[in-house]
């Protein structure tokens, strides 16, 4: 949890708020790939890409 707070303070201090949507999209893609690889809905997720 400390990593997330450090990242937030970095973005806030350096005024790099434009990085937040990029980080969120990368995290969502990572979650989709991790859960999609081991689930029965994997063929449907792969068809999206």
């Amino acid at each position: 949890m400390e990593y997330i707070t450090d990242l937030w303070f970095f973005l806030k201090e350096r005024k790099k708020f434009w990085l937040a949507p990029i980080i969120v999209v990368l995290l969502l893609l990572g979650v989709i790939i991790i859960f999609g690889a081991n689930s029965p809905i994997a063929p449907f997720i792969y068809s999206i890409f």
Side-chain angles (χ1 to χ4, degrees), residues 1-21 23-24:
M1 192 66 180
E2 183 180 344
Y3 179 74
I4 295 171
T5 57
D6 286 343
L7 180 62
W8 173 251
F9 286 129
F10 169 78
L11 294 174
K12 189 174 160 185
E13 184 175 318
R14 305 262 195 235
K15 307 275 194 266
K16 303 275 184 190
F17 292 113
W18 57 271
L19 286 174
I23 293 169
V24 170

Side-chain angles (χ1 to χ4, degrees), residues 28-40:
L28 287 175
L29 283 174
V31 168
I32 288 173
I33 290 171
I34 289 170
F35 288 123
N38 298 324
S39 72

